[in-house]
Amino acid sequence: MPVVYFVIPCYNEEKVLPETVKRLTEKLEKMQSAGLADRGSCMLLVDDGSRDATWELISKFSAENEFVAGIKLAHNRGHQNALLAGLMTARKYADCAVSLDADLQDDVDILDEFVQKFLDGCDIVYGVRKRRETDTVFKRTTALGFYKFMEKLGVNVVYNHADYRLMSRRALDALSEYREVNLFLRGLVPLIGFRTDSVYYDRHERFAGESKYPLKKMVSFAVDGITSFSVKPLQMIFSLGMITTFVSLVGVIWSLVSHCAHGTAAWIIGVWSLWLLGGILLLCMGVVGTYVGKIYGEVKARPRFLVEQSLNLPAEVKKN
Ligand code: UDP
Ligand code: MG
C-alpha cells in the first residue's frame, strides 16, 4: 500500500479548514480500510503566511489528529510556491502526493481513482474538470481564451486542469530538478513526462471564505504562465515591427502623393501615426521588460520558499 500525502496550500483559510480537515480525515480512514493508503498517510497543510488563525488551527488539528501534518512558510509566497513547498516536503515521506485546494472545490471522491491509477503504474495523474458550470461566465471565457492562447504559443498545458493532480515520488524528484523561480506548475509538470493519465470530475463552489484569486492575480498568473514557457511574444514583436514599418511606408508615400496632388494637411496623419508608433513601442518595451524582469528573478535564484516550522511530520525520511 502506498503512503499518500494530500498537499494543501492554505492562505487565510480559517473558515474552511475545520470542514476540510473533517472531510479529508474521513477520506483517509476510508482509503486505509480500502487498502489504498498505508499508515502514515496524511494531509499536509501548508500555511502560506496567513494573517488569520490558519496556523493556530493547523497546530490544534495536528495535535489531536494523526492525519494532519503542517508546515508554516516564513511569509506569503503565493499559491504555486506554497504548493511546491508542500510537494517538496511530501516527497521525503510519501510514495505519492496529491495537491488540492483548501476549499475542497475539487471533488474529493475521486481521490481513490487517483491512487488506483498510481497503483496501476502512472507517475502523474491529472484531475480534469468536465464542465465549468460553477464558474462565472467571465472566468469561463477568460480561462478558455488562456488555454487557447497557450496552445497557439506551443505551450503544453492540460486543458481544464488546475492544480489537482497526483505525482509519484519519482515525478516529485524530477520536479525538484526544475529550479525556476517563476513557478507555473501547470506548465512544468507536463514537461516531466513519465506515464500520465487523467481523471475527470465536476468542480464545486467554494463552501466558505473568499477566492484568493482576484482578477489582478489571475491576469498576472496568466502572464507568468505565458512568459515562463514561451518566447513567442518576443518574436511577435519582430513581426509587429515589420508590419508597422510597412504600413508607415505606405502611409508616407500616400500622404506625399496626396499632399502634392491636393495639398492635404499631411501633418494630421503624422501626428496620429506618432502616437500610434509611441504606443506600439511602449507595448513592445513592456513585453521585453517582462522577460528581462524574469531573467532578473531567475539569476538571483532566491529560495522559492522558507519553512519556518513543521508539525507532525515523521522523524525519519523515507528511503527508496
Ligand atoms: N492560496 C495560497 N496562497 C495565496 C493564495 C491562495 O496558498 O497567496 C491557496 C488558497 O488557500 C487555496 C488555493 O491556493 O487553497 C486556491 O485559492 P482559491 O481557492 O482562492 O482560488 P480559486 O479556486 O478561486 O481559483
Ligand atoms: Mg478555490
Side-chain angles (χ1 to χ4, degrees):
M1 273 196 281
V3 173
V4 185
Y5 266 49
F6 300 152
V7 175
I8 306 163
C10 309
Y11 178 58
N12 296 343
E13 299 286 11
E14 60 179 10
K15 286 207 186 101
V16 301
L17 266 186
E19 180 66 22
T20 305
V21 169
K22 188 173 136 253
R23 283 205 224 162
L24 288 178
T25 305
E26 286 166 11
K27 189 74 206 166
L28 279 163
E29 278 166 354
K30 275 195 205 138
M31 285 172 76
Q32 277 195 351
S33 43
L36 285 170
D38 205 350
R39 282 192 52 225
S41 298
C42 71
M43 64 193 97
L44 175 61
L45 304 172
V46 182
D47 176 20
D48 184 20
S50 299
R51 268 184 264 257
D52 64 357
T54 300
W55 182 244
E56 284 72 35
L57 278 176
I58 295 174
S59 316
K60 179 172 134 322
F61 290 130
S62 66
E64 61 198 30
N65 184 342
E66 55 162 340
F67 289 118
V68 180
I71 55 174
K72 180 184 192 320
L73 300 191
H75 31 232
N76 180 245
R77 297 292 287 120
H79 179 209
Q80 298 288 297
N81 288 305
L83 204 54
L84 184 79
L87 291 174
M88 290 303 110
T89 308
R91 117 186 136 97
K92 297 184 204 155
Y93 314 104
D95 295 308
C96 63
V98 185
S99 47
L100 61 164
D101 289 351
D103 51 17
L104 294 191
Q105 283 187 283
D106 305 314
D107 191 1
V108 291
D109 289 332
I110 60 159
L111 282 166
D112 309 59
E113 280 179 57
F114 272 110
V115 178
Q116 196 55 56
K117 298 241 179 206
F118 167 71
L119 292 174
D120 293 343
C122 287
D123 277 291
I124 298 169
V125 186
Y126 297 110
V128 177
R129 294 169 68 171
K130 284 188 217 154
R131 273 160 286 165
R132 279 187 163 260
E133 269 147 22
T134 48
D135 280 351
T136 56
V137 177
F138 178 73
K139 194 155 182 174
R140 231 182 296 164
T141 26
T142 46
L144 184 73
F146 174 68
Y147 285 112
K148 285 260 171 323
F149 190 56
M150 289 291 267
E151 215 170 81
K152 281 252 154 55
L153 295 179
V155 186
N156 183 11
V157 281
V158 180
Y159 183 63
N160 264 352
H161 157 71
D163 282 304
Y164 192 23
R165 76 177 85 78
L166 175 142
M167 293 177 80
S168 67
R169 180 140 37 108
R170 194 155 74 118
L172 290 172
D173 286 345
L175 180 68
S176 72
E177 302 285 328
Y178 290 78
R179 301 186 194 282
E180 49 200 89
V181 175
N182 295 288
L183 205 58
F184 187 70
L185 289 168
R186 266 167 242 193
L188 215 50
V189 175
L191 294 181
I192 294 175
F194 292 140
R195 207 171 129 190
T196 56
D197 207 340
S198 303
V199 290
Y200 298 88
Y201 70 101
D202 286 319
R203 192 168 156 109
H204 308 300
E205 308 240 12
R206 180 180 255 278
F207 63 85
E210 276 155 21
S211 170
K212 312 290 179 305
Y213 268 102
L215 182 64
K216 208 173 126 206
K217 263 200 199 172
M218 255 164 64
V219 172
S220 81
F221 188 56
V223 171
D224 229 32
I226 292 163
T227 49
S228 288
F229 285 88
S230 172
V231 286
K232 283 240 171 88
L234 288 174
Q235 293 157 356
M236 284 173 177
I237 291 182
F238 187 69
S239 319
L240 192 66
M242 302 257 277
I243 295 168
T244 37
T245 311
F246 178 73
V247 172
S248 58
L249 213 66
V250 173
V252 166
I253 294 170
W254 178 76
S255 47
L256 263 179
V257 171
S258 80
H259 181 67
C260 295
H262 333 280
T264 324
W267 62 270
I268 296 182
I269 307 166
V271 166
W272 282 114
S273 54
L274 219 71
W275 278 88
L276 180 73
L277 263 182
I280 292 173
L281 273 173
L282 283 178
L283 195 90
C284 296
M285 265 171 68
V287 176
V288 177
T290 308
Y291 282 94
V292 175
K294 290 215 141 175
I295 300 168
Y296 177 69
E298 296 295 341
V299 168
K300 280 188 296 181
R302 288 183 182 160
R304 294 176 284 185
F305 56 84
L306 292 169
V307 178
E308 186 176 310
Q309 214 178 326
S310 55
L311 290 172
N312 231 3
L313 283 168
E316 277 201 28
V317 173
K318 216 173 147 165
K319 298 275 182 320
N320 267 316

PDB file of all heavy atoms in Angstrom, residues 16-47:
ATOM      1  N   VAL A  16     -12.620  27.644   6.186  1.00  0.00           N
ATOM      2  CA  VAL A  16     -12.867  26.355   5.537  1.00  0.00           C
ATOM      3  C   VAL A  16     -12.113  25.193   6.199  1.00  0.00           C
ATOM      4  O   VAL A  16     -12.498  24.039   6.048  1.00  0.00           O
ATOM      5  CB  VAL A  16     -12.509  26.380   4.028  1.00  0.00           C
ATOM      6  CG1 VAL A  16     -13.302  27.408   3.290  1.00  0.00           C
ATOM      7  CG2 VAL A  16     -11.036  26.581   3.797  1.00  0.00           C
ATOM      8  N   LEU A  17     -11.035  25.509   6.934  1.00  0.00           N
ATOM      9  CA  LEU A  17     -10.177  24.427   7.425  1.00  0.00           C
ATOM     10  C   LEU A  17     -10.865  23.350   8.260  1.00  0.00           C
ATOM     11  O   LEU A  17     -10.659  22.162   8.008  1.00  0.00           O
ATOM     12  CB  LEU A  17      -8.985  25.001   8.186  1.00  0.00           C
ATOM     13  CG  LEU A  17      -7.718  25.205   7.340  1.00  0.00           C
ATOM     14  CD1 LEU A  17      -6.571  25.644   8.224  1.00  0.00           C
ATOM     15  CD2 LEU A  17      -7.334  23.940   6.595  1.00  0.00           C
ATOM     16  N   PRO A  18     -11.695  23.723   9.257  1.00  0.00           N
ATOM     17  CA  PRO A  18     -12.314  22.665  10.064  1.00  0.00           C
ATOM     18  C   PRO A  18     -13.070  21.647   9.209  1.00  0.00           C
ATOM     19  O   PRO A  18     -12.914  20.434   9.382  1.00  0.00           O
ATOM     20  CB  PRO A  18     -13.271  23.438  10.981  1.00  0.00           C
ATOM     21  CG  PRO A  18     -12.690  24.805  11.060  1.00  0.00           C
ATOM     22  CD  PRO A  18     -12.076  25.063   9.728  1.00  0.00           C
ATOM     23  N   GLU A  19     -13.833  22.138   8.257  1.00  0.00           N
ATOM     24  CA  GLU A  19     -14.609  21.244   7.387  1.00  0.00           C
ATOM     25  C   GLU A  19     -13.674  20.416   6.490  1.00  0.00           C
ATOM     26  O   GLU A  19     -13.857  19.216   6.305  1.00  0.00           O
ATOM     27  CB  GLU A  19     -15.564  22.105   6.541  1.00  0.00           C
ATOM     28  CG  GLU A  19     -16.444  21.344   5.592  1.00  0.00           C
ATOM     29  CD  GLU A  19     -17.465  20.457   6.280  1.00  0.00           C
ATOM     30  OE1 GLU A  19     -17.791  20.723   7.453  1.00  0.00           O
ATOM     31  OE2 GLU A  19     -17.919  19.484   5.627  1.00  0.00           O
ATOM     32  N   THR A  20     -12.668  21.080   5.946  1.00  0.00           N
ATOM     33  CA  THR A  20     -11.718  20.384   5.073  1.00  0.00           C
ATOM     34  C   THR A  20     -11.029  19.241   5.813  1.00  0.00           C
ATOM     35  O   THR A  20     -10.944  18.118   5.304  1.00  0.00           O
ATOM     36  CB  THR A  20     -10.647  21.380   4.566  1.00  0.00           C
ATOM     37  OG1 THR A  20     -11.322  22.460   3.943  1.00  0.00           O
ATOM     38  CG2 THR A  20      -9.715  20.739   3.587  1.00  0.00           C
ATOM     39  N   VAL A  21     -10.560  19.547   7.028  1.00  0.00           N
ATOM     40  CA  VAL A  21      -9.866  18.521   7.807  1.00  0.00           C
ATOM     41  C   VAL A  21     -10.818  17.372   8.123  1.00  0.00           C
ATOM     42  O   VAL A  21     -10.449  16.200   8.017  1.00  0.00           O
ATOM     43  CB  VAL A  21      -9.283  19.145   9.106  1.00  0.00           C
ATOM     44  CG1 VAL A  21      -8.793  18.077  10.054  1.00  0.00           C
ATOM     45  CG2 VAL A  21      -8.158  20.102   8.759  1.00  0.00           C
ATOM     46  N   LYS A  22     -12.039  17.711   8.447  1.00  0.00           N
ATOM     47  CA  LYS A  22     -13.018  16.677   8.783  1.00  0.00           C
ATOM     48  C   LYS A  22     -13.244  15.742   7.591  1.00  0.00           C
ATOM     49  O   LYS A  22     -13.140  14.528   7.702  1.00  0.00           O
ATOM     50  CB  LYS A  22     -14.340  17.359   9.180  1.00  0.00           C
ATOM     51  CG  LYS A  22     -15.361  16.395   9.731  1.00  0.00           C
ATOM     52  CD  LYS A  22     -16.564  17.134  10.272  1.00  0.00           C
ATOM     53  CE  LYS A  22     -17.830  16.469   9.849  1.00  0.00           C
ATOM     54  NZ  LYS A  22     -18.648  17.065   8.872  1.00  0.00           N
ATOM     55  N   ARG A  23     -13.490  16.352   6.450  1.00  0.00           N
ATOM     56  CA  ARG A  23     -13.789  15.537   5.260  1.00  0.00           C
ATOM     57  C   ARG A  23     -12.595  14.696   4.823  1.00  0.00           C
ATOM     58  O   ARG A  23     -12.747  13.549   4.443  1.00  0.00           O
ATOM     59  CB  ARG A  23     -14.202  16.443   4.107  1.00  0.00           C
ATOM     60  CG  ARG A  23     -15.619  16.925   4.267  1.00  0.00           C
ATOM     61  CD  ARG A  23     -16.183  17.269   2.921  1.00  0.00           C
ATOM     62  NE  ARG A  23     -16.914  18.517   2.986  1.00  0.00           N
ATOM     63  CZ  ARG A  23     -17.233  19.245   1.934  1.00  0.00           C
ATOM     64  NH1 ARG A  23     -16.838  18.871   0.730  1.00  0.00           N
ATOM     65  NH2 ARG A  23     -17.922  20.350   2.067  1.00  0.00           N
ATOM     66  N   LEU A  24     -11.413  15.290   4.888  1.00  0.00           N
ATOM     67  CA  LEU A  24     -10.240  14.544   4.432  1.00  0.00           C
ATOM     68  C   LEU A  24      -9.835  13.455   5.428  1.00  0.00           C
ATOM     69  O   LEU A  24      -9.293  12.428   5.030  1.00  0.00           O
ATOM     70  CB  LEU A  24      -9.078  15.486   4.141  1.00  0.00           C
ATOM     71  CG  LEU A  24      -9.255  16.330   2.877  1.00  0.00           C
ATOM     72  CD1 LEU A  24      -8.097  17.274   2.683  1.00  0.00           C
ATOM     73  CD2 LEU A  24      -9.407  15.450   1.628  1.00  0.00           C
ATOM     74  N   THR A  25     -10.125  13.686   6.713  1.00  0.00           N
ATOM     75  CA  THR A  25      -9.860  12.633   7.687  1.00  0.00           C
ATOM     76  C   THR A  25     -10.736  11.421   7.385  1.00  0.00           C
ATOM     77  O   THR A  25     -10.256  10.284   7.341  1.00  0.00           O
ATOM     78  CB  THR A  25     -10.147  13.148   9.123  1.00  0.00           C
ATOM     79  OG1 THR A  25      -9.390  14.335   9.332  1.00  0.00           O
ATOM     80  CG2 THR A  25      -9.778  12.122  10.161  1.00  0.00           C
ATOM     81  N   GLU A  26     -12.019  11.702   7.135  1.00  0.00           N
ATOM     82  CA  GLU A  26     -12.927  10.598   6.779  1.00  0.00           C
ATOM     83  C   GLU A  26     -12.422   9.871   5.536  1.00  0.00           C
ATOM     84  O   GLU A  26     -12.412   8.649   5.447  1.00  0.00           O
ATOM     85  CB  GLU A  26     -14.329  11.142   6.484  1.00  0.00           C
ATOM     86  CG  GLU A  26     -15.079  11.556   7.735  1.00  0.00           C
ATOM     87  CD  GLU A  26     -16.317  12.406   7.410  1.00  0.00           C
ATOM     88  OE1 GLU A  26     -16.690  12.495   6.210  1.00  0.00           O
ATOM     89  OE2 GLU A  26     -16.875  12.979   8.340  1.00  0.00           O
ATOM     90  N   LYS A  27     -11.970  10.667   4.591  1.00  0.00           N
ATOM     91  CA  LYS A  27     -11.493  10.098   3.326  1.00  0.00           C
ATOM     92  C   LYS A  27     -10.280   9.196   3.561  1.00  0.00           C
ATOM     93  O   LYS A  27     -10.202   8.084   3.047  1.00  0.00           O
ATOM     94  CB  LYS A  27     -11.116  11.254   2.386  1.00  0.00           C
ATOM     95  CG  LYS A  27     -10.817  10.850   0.982  1.00  0.00           C
ATOM     96  CD  LYS A  27     -12.075  10.487   0.247  1.00  0.00           C
ATOM     97  CE  LYS A  27     -11.776   9.527  -0.865  1.00  0.00           C
ATOM     98  NZ  LYS A  27     -12.965   8.896  -1.404  1.00  0.00           N
ATOM     99  N   LEU A  28      -9.338   9.692   4.364  1.00  0.00           N
ATOM    100  CA  LEU A  28      -8.127   8.905   4.621  1.00  0.00           C
ATOM    101  C   LEU A  28      -8.453   7.614   5.356  1.00  0.00           C
ATOM    102  O   LEU A  28      -7.878   6.560   5.082  1.00  0.00           O
ATOM    103  CB  LEU A  28      -7.122   9.740   5.422  1.00  0.00           C
ATOM    104  CG  LEU A  28      -6.295  10.716   4.579  1.00  0.00           C
ATOM    105  CD1 LEU A  28      -5.644  11.776   5.449  1.00  0.00           C
ATOM    106  CD2 LEU A  28      -5.223   9.979   3.780  1.00  0.00           C
ATOM    107  N   GLU A  29      -9.396   7.707   6.288  1.00  0.00           N
ATOM    108  CA  GLU A  29      -9.804   6.494   7.015  1.00  0.00           C
ATOM    109  C   GLU A  29     -10.369   5.469   6.051  1.00  0.00           C
ATOM    110  O   GLU A  29     -10.024   4.294   6.087  1.00  0.00           O
ATOM    111  CB  GLU A  29     -10.853   6.840   8.089  1.00  0.00           C
ATOM    112  CG  GLU A  29     -10.219   7.376   9.363  1.00  0.00           C
ATOM    113  CD  GLU A  29     -11.232   8.036  10.289  1.00  0.00           C
ATOM    114  OE1 GLU A  29     -12.411   8.191   9.900  1.00  0.00           O
ATOM    115  OE2 GLU A  29     -10.823   8.410  11.413  1.00  0.00           O
ATOM    116  N   LYS A  30     -11.234   5.958   5.169  1.00  0.00           N
ATOM    117  CA  LYS A  30     -11.850   5.045   4.184  1.00  0.00           C
ATOM    118  C   LYS A  30     -10.791   4.445   3.268  1.00  0.00           C
ATOM    119  O   LYS A  30     -10.820   3.261   2.945  1.00  0.00           O
ATOM    120  CB  LYS A  30     -12.869   5.808   3.342  1.00  0.00           C
ATOM    121  CG  LYS A  30     -14.230   5.886   4.002  1.00  0.00           C
ATOM    122  CD  LYS A  30     -15.277   6.306   2.987  1.00  0.00           C
ATOM    123  CE  LYS A  30     -16.448   6.968   3.692  1.00  0.00           C
ATOM    124  NZ  LYS A  30     -16.965   8.137   3.024  1.00  0.00           N
ATOM    125  N   MET A  31      -9.872   5.286   2.833  1.00  0.00           N
ATOM    126  CA  MET A  31      -8.848   4.795   1.915  1.00  0.00           C
ATOM    127  C   MET A  31      -7.944   3.768   2.591  1.00  0.00           C
ATOM    128  O   MET A  31      -7.499   2.814   1.962  1.00  0.00           O
ATOM    129  CB  MET A  31      -8.018   5.964   1.361  1.00  0.00           C
ATOM    130  CG  MET A  31      -8.782   6.741   0.312  1.00  0.00           C
ATOM    131  SD  MET A  31      -7.960   8.248  -0.197  1.00  0.00           S
ATOM    132  CE  MET A  31      -6.678   7.632  -1.240  1.00  0.00           C
ATOM    133  N   GLN A  32      -7.703   3.972   3.873  1.00  0.00           N
ATOM    134  CA  GLN A  32      -6.884   2.994   4.593  1.00  0.00           C
ATOM    135  C   GLN A  32      -7.587   1.654   4.671  1.00  0.00           C
ATOM    136  O   GLN A  32      -6.992   0.614   4.430  1.00  0.00           O
ATOM    137  CB  GLN A  32      -6.578   3.506   6.002  1.00  0.00           C
ATOM    138  CG  GLN A  32      -5.406   4.453   6.019  1.00  0.00           C
ATOM    139  CD  GLN A  32      -4.862   4.676   7.421  1.00  0.00           C
ATOM    140  OE1 GLN A  32      -5.449   4.250   8.409  1.00  0.00           O
ATOM    141  NE2 GLN A  32      -3.730   5.354   7.493  1.00  0.00           N
ATOM    142  N   SER A  33      -8.879   1.713   5.001  1.00  0.00           N
ATOM    143  CA  SER A  33      -9.574   0.416   5.115  1.00  0.00           C
ATOM    144  C   SER A  33      -9.803  -0.224   3.755  1.00  0.00           C
ATOM    145  O   SER A  33      -9.952  -1.436   3.657  1.00  0.00           O
ATOM    146  CB  SER A  33     -10.870   0.541   5.917  1.00  0.00           C
ATOM    147  OG  SER A  33     -11.566   1.685   5.541  1.00  0.00           O
ATOM    148  N   ALA A  34      -9.800   0.587   2.703  1.00  0.00           N
ATOM    149  CA  ALA A  34      -9.969   0.013   1.357  1.00  0.00           C
ATOM    150  C   ALA A  34      -8.641  -0.465   0.775  1.00  0.00           C
ATOM    151  O   ALA A  34      -8.585  -0.973  -0.345  1.00  0.00           O
ATOM    152  CB  ALA A  34     -10.592   1.047   0.438  1.00  0.00           C
ATOM    153  N   GLY A  35      -7.570  -0.286   1.538  1.00  0.00           N
ATOM    154  CA  GLY A  35      -6.262  -0.739   1.061  1.00  0.00           C
ATOM    155  C   GLY A  35      -5.646   0.176   0.025  1.00  0.00           C
ATOM    156  O   GLY A  35      -4.815  -0.244  -0.777  1.00  0.00           O
ATOM    157  N   LEU A  36      -6.038   1.453   0.038  1.00  0.00           N
ATOM    158  CA  LEU A  36      -5.477   2.389  -0.942  1.00  0.00           C
ATOM    159  C   LEU A  36      -4.420   3.302  -0.331  1.00  0.00           C
ATOM    160  O   LEU A  36      -3.642   3.929  -1.043  1.00  0.00           O
ATOM    161  CB  LEU A  36      -6.593   3.254  -1.543  1.00  0.00           C
ATOM    162  CG  LEU A  36      -7.500   2.559  -2.553  1.00  0.00           C
ATOM    163  CD1 LEU A  36      -8.694   3.442  -2.890  1.00  0.00           C
ATOM    164  CD2 LEU A  36      -6.740   2.201  -3.813  1.00  0.00           C
ATOM    165  N   ALA A  37      -4.425   3.401   0.982  1.00  0.00           N
ATOM    166  CA  ALA A  37      -3.446   4.273   1.632  1.00  0.00           C
ATOM    167  C   ALA A  37      -2.877   3.570   2.854  1.00  0.00           C
ATOM    168  O   ALA A  37      -3.619   2.976   3.634  1.00  0.00           O
ATOM    169  CB  ALA A  37      -4.102   5.582   2.049  1.00  0.00           C
ATOM    170  N   ASP A  38      -1.576   3.629   2.983  1.00  0.00           N
ATOM    171  CA  ASP A  38      -0.903   2.942   4.073  1.00  0.00           C
ATOM    172  C   ASP A  38      -0.943   3.800   5.338  1.00  0.00           C
ATOM    173  O   ASP A  38      -1.307   4.973   5.288  1.00  0.00           O
ATOM    174  CB  ASP A  38       0.548   2.683   3.674  1.00  0.00           C
ATOM    175  CG  ASP A  38       1.129   1.506   4.427  1.00  0.00           C
ATOM    176  OD1 ASP A  38       0.470   1.040   5.384  1.00  0.00           O
ATOM    177  OD2 ASP A  38       2.217   1.043   4.054  1.00  0.00           O
ATOM    178  N   ARG A  39      -0.536   3.211   6.461  1.00  0.00           N
ATOM    179  CA  ARG A  39      -0.405   4.013   7.677  1.00  0.00           C
ATOM    180  C   ARG A  39       0.662   5.069   7.429  1.00  0.00           C
ATOM    181  O   ARG A  39       1.616   4.840   6.692  1.00  0.00           O
ATOM    182  CB  ARG A  39       0.000   3.117   8.849  1.00  0.00           C
ATOM    183  CG  ARG A  39      -1.182   2.334   9.388  1.00  0.00           C
ATOM    184  CD  ARG A  39      -0.838   1.692  10.715  1.00  0.00           C
ATOM    185  NE  ARG A  39      -0.300   2.638  11.673  1.00  0.00           N
ATOM    186  CZ  ARG A  39       0.782   2.390  12.424  1.00  0.00           C
ATOM    187  NH1 ARG A  39       1.412   1.261  12.324  1.00  0.00           N
ATOM    188  NH2 ARG A  39       1.215   3.299  13.291  1.00  0.00           N
ATOM    189  N   GLY A  40       0.484   6.220   8.031  1.00  0.00           N
ATOM    190  CA  GLY A  40       1.446   7.300   7.784  1.00  0.00           C
ATOM    191  C   GLY A  40       0.968   8.235   6.691  1.00  0.00           C
ATOM    192  O   GLY A  40       1.548   9.289   6.481  1.00  0.00           O
ATOM    193  N   SER A  41      -0.101   7.852   5.990  1.00  0.00           N
ATOM    194  CA  SER A  41      -0.679   8.775   5.012  1.00  0.00           C
ATOM    195  C   SER A  41      -1.303   9.937   5.765  1.00  0.00           C
ATOM    196  O   SER A  41      -1.827   9.756   6.861  1.00  0.00           O
ATOM    197  CB  SER A  41      -1.774   8.081   4.192  1.00  0.00           C
ATOM    198  OG  SER A  41      -1.208   7.014   3.471  1.00  0.00           O
ATOM    199  N   CYS A  42      -1.254  11.098   5.195  1.00  0.00           N
ATOM    200  CA  CYS A  42      -1.832  12.241   5.899  1.00  0.00           C
ATOM    201  C   CYS A  42      -2.108  13.412   4.970  1.00  0.00           C
ATOM    202  O   CYS A  42      -1.807  13.354   3.784  1.00  0.00           O
ATOM    203  CB  CYS A  42      -0.905  12.696   7.022  1.00  0.00           C
ATOM    204  SG  CYS A  42       0.584  13.482   6.431  1.00  0.00           S
ATOM    205  N   MET A  43      -2.721  14.444   5.527  1.00  0.00           N
ATOM    206  CA  MET A  43      -2.869  15.680   4.757  1.00  0.00           C
ATOM    207  C   MET A  43      -1.829  16.656   5.277  1.00  0.00           C
ATOM    208  O   MET A  43      -1.673  16.813   6.486  1.00  0.00           O
ATOM    209  CB  MET A  43      -4.286  16.241   4.894  1.00  0.00           C
ATOM    210  CG  MET A  43      -4.663  16.670   6.272  1.00  0.00           C
ATOM    211  SD  MET A  43      -6.434  16.970   6.438  1.00  0.00           S
ATOM    212  CE  MET A  43      -6.993  15.418   7.134  1.00  0.00           C
ATOM    213  N   LEU A  44      -1.093  17.240   4.358  1.00  0.00           N
ATOM    214  CA  LEU A  44      -0.056  18.190   4.744  1.00  0.00           C
ATOM    215  C   LEU A  44      -0.560  19.596   4.448  1.00  0.00           C
ATOM    216  O   LEU A  44      -0.698  19.997   3.295  1.00  0.00           O
ATOM    217  CB  LEU A  44       1.225  17.901   3.949  1.00  0.00           C
ATOM    218  CG  LEU A  44       2.384  18.871   4.141  1.00  0.00           C
ATOM    219  CD1 LEU A  44       2.843  18.906   5.591  1.00  0.00           C
ATOM    220  CD2 LEU A  44       3.549  18.482   3.240  1.00  0.00           C
ATOM    221  N   LEU A  45      -0.896  20.318   5.522  1.00  0.00           N
ATOM    222  CA  LEU A  45      -1.438  21.668   5.346  1.00  0.00           C
ATOM    223  C   LEU A  45      -0.290  22.673   5.336  1.00  0.00           C
ATOM    224  O   LEU A  45       0.516  22.716   6.273  1.00  0.00           O
ATOM    225  CB  LEU A  45      -2.410  21.985   6.478  1.00  0.00           C
ATOM    226  CG  LEU A  45      -3.561  20.990   6.654  1.00  0.00           C
ATOM    227  CD1 LEU A  45      -4.343  21.287   7.928  1.00  0.00           C
ATOM    228  CD2 LEU A  45      -4.493  21.027   5.456  1.00  0.00           C
ATOM    229  N   VAL A  46      -0.201  23.432   4.268  1.00  0.00           N
ATOM    230  CA  VAL A  46       0.888  24.407   4.150  1.00  0.00           C
ATOM    231  C   VAL A  46       0.332  25.800   4.414  1.00  0.00           C
ATOM    232  O   VAL A  46      -0.473  26.308   3.635  1.00  0.00           O
ATOM    233  CB  VAL A  46       1.489  24.370   2.722  1.00  0.00           C
ATOM    234  CG1 VAL A  46       2.657  25.337   2.622  1.00  0.00           C
ATOM    235  CG2 VAL A  46       1.909  22.961   2.347  1.00  0.00           C
ATOM    236  N   ASP A  47       0.749  26.378   5.514  1.00  0.00           N
ATOM    237  CA  ASP A  47       0.282  27.732   5.803  1.00  0.00           C
ATOM    238  C   ASP A  47       1.151  28.735   5.045  1.00  0.00           C
ATOM    239  O   ASP A  47       2.337  28.893   5.342  1.00  0.00           O
ATOM    240  CB  ASP A  47       0.348  27.998   7.311  1.00  0.00           C
ATOM    241  CG  ASP A  47      -0.048  29.434   7.628  1.00  0.00           C
ATOM    242  OD1 ASP A  47      -0.713  30.059   6.786  1.00  0.00           O
ATOM    243  OD2 ASP A  47       0.318  29.927   8.711  1.00  0.00           O
TER     244      ASP A  47
END
